[in-house]
Amino acid sequence: MNRKITEQESHYRHLERMTVTELLTHINEEDAGVAQAVKMAIPQITALVEAIVPRMQRGGRLFYVGAGTSGRMGVLDASEVPPTFGVPDTWVVGIIAGGDRALRHAVEQAEDDADQAWRDIMAYHPTADDTVVGIAASGTTPYVVGAVKEARRNGLLTGCITSNPDTPLAAACDYPIETIVGPEFVTGSSRMKSGTAQKMVLNMISTSLMIRMGRVRDNRMVNMQLTSNKLVDRGVRMLQELLHLDEEEAKRRLLAAGSVSEVLKREQSEI
């Protein structure tokens, strides 16, 4: 049986003999092809997002499920959605094999338990309007494949992100996304190009979903949480541009309302 693309030999040999400049140059050369691989998958990404939108509009949630690097990518994207778009942290949920400890430490054999992921999802009381997206560069991780199989069997929408074609994970879900980035610079190190592709696709999924859910106005994060001076300053500038206010008045309204979006709603109600 042929080895999975993610396990195939690197195009480069004797990395230990390379200078730092050579290492960085070749890594960059490999990374340059990742965006093209993601571009080729846009029709697959489109199909998944379009299927999720009506479910999320009905109150459904999006669950990312992964192990190791893939799990960390899902948790990262999920954790960035609430502050960026001002939504509850229940809208997009990242689940990683081994639990939160696995974010910083390897949890041995957690990814090999094909039944645990569904148990982890069950803690959130899933419904038919929810979506599970399995993330696994190999497309064979038992924890992830098991999650998608059980989710689909229980009537949830399912998708996946993988870096190999025709995998058990893709076969188990409704909307597979395959980003074929080729062999890694360090053979088998899917934290590199595969991880980069996962990050890009996750950005695309969550951002396009939040735009469709009305959490962006024009090109602005009008619902962002005001958790730092930088974000307050950004909100003030938005209001100055949109409502032609001076800085002091814009800041007063922003802090009173809690978000740019809320200020704009109040402005509309007064017209």
Side-chain angles (χ1 to χ4, degrees), residues 158-194:
T158 57
C160 74
I161 305 170
T162 180
S163 295
N164 285 308
D166 305 319
T167 63
L169 179 58
C173 73
D174 301 301
Y175 293 95
I177 297 169
E178 298 170 324
T179 55
I180 312 304
V181 296
E184 298 288 359
F185 179 70
V186 176
T187 299
S189 182
S190 57
R191 59 179 285 272
M192 301 186 78
K193 291 192 296 182
S194 292

Side-chain angles (χ1 to χ4, degrees), residues 5-252:
I5 292 174
T6 51
E7 295 294 329
Q8 288 178 359
E9 196 79 12
S10 169
H11 296 310
Y12 304 85
R13 299 294 305 278
H14 305 298
L15 307 186
E16 73 280 3
R17 300 178 188 174
M18 294 182 184
T19 66
V20 171
T21 297
E22 289 171 334
L23 290 169
L24 299 179
T25 298
H26 292 318
I27 291 171
N28 179 250
E29 289 169 349
E30 288 297 300
D31 286 345
V34 175
Q36 183 61 33
V38 172
K39 181 179 180 180
M40 297 293 290
I42 285 178
Q44 296 176 328
I45 303 169
T46 299
L48 175 60
V49 171
E50 289 182 341
I52 295 173
V53 168
R55 289 168 169 80
M56 191 164 273
Q57 288 172 336
R58 294 194 296 266
R61 298 159 295 176
L62 170 60
F63 293 92
Y64 295 138
V65 179
T69 296
S70 300
R72 294 182 189 103
M73 287 295 178
V75 172
L76 172 62
D77 193 72
S79 67
E80 290 177 340
V81 169
T84 304
F85 301 105
V87 301
D89 59 11
T90 53
W91 281 32
V92 183
V93 179
I95 297 175
I96 183 170
D100 285 353
R101 174 176 167 75
L103 294 172
R104 294 182 179 273
H105 306 280
V107 178
E108 298 300 332
Q109 298 181 319
E111 69 175 47
D112 296 327
D113 189 337
D115 300 319
Q116 184 59 46
W118 181 245
R119 289 195 290 267
D120 292 341
I121 293 170
M122 283 292 289
Y124 293 88
H125 307 290
T127 74
D129 281 330
D130 293 333
T131 302
V132 171
V133 174
I135 313 168
S138 67
T140 59
T141 306
Y143 180 86
V144 181
V145 176
V148 168
K149 282 184 175 179
E150 280 301 301
R152 194 177 190 184
R153 192 174 71 82
N154 283 273
L156 280 68
L157 184 74
T158 57
C160 74
I161 305 170
T162 180
S163 295
N164 285 308
D166 305 319
T167 63
L169 179 58
C173 73
D174 301 301
Y175 293 95
I177 297 169
E178 298 170 324
T179 55
I180 312 304
V181 296
E184 298 288 359
F185 179 70
V186 176
T187 299
S189 182
S190 57
R191 59 179 285 272
M192 301 186 78
K193 291 192 296 182
S194 292
T196 300
Q198 290 169 353
K199 174 61 175 166
M200 294 174 72
V201 173
L202 290 166
N203 278 347
M204 295 165 79
I205 291 172
S206 58
T207 302
S208 56
L209 279 174
M210 291 302 105
I211 291 170
R212 288 298 186 190
M213 292 296 291
R215 308 307 294 181
V216 172
R217 173 168 171 164
D218 190 7
N219 58 11
R220 297 178 173 90
M221 297 184 291
V222 292
N223 288 285
M224 63 185 179
Q225 294 177 0
L226 305 176
T227 54
S228 69
N229 290 333
K230 178 189 75 173
L231 297 178
V232 171
D233 290 344
R234 182 184 295 164
V236 168
R237 290 195 302 274
M238 287 186 200
L239 291 176
Q240 286 183 278
E241 293 170 10
L242 293 169
L243 300 180
H244 309 292
L245 303 173
D246 61 43
E247 182 177 354
E248 183 177 346
E249 178 62 12
K251 187 171 185 178
R252 185 192 68 77

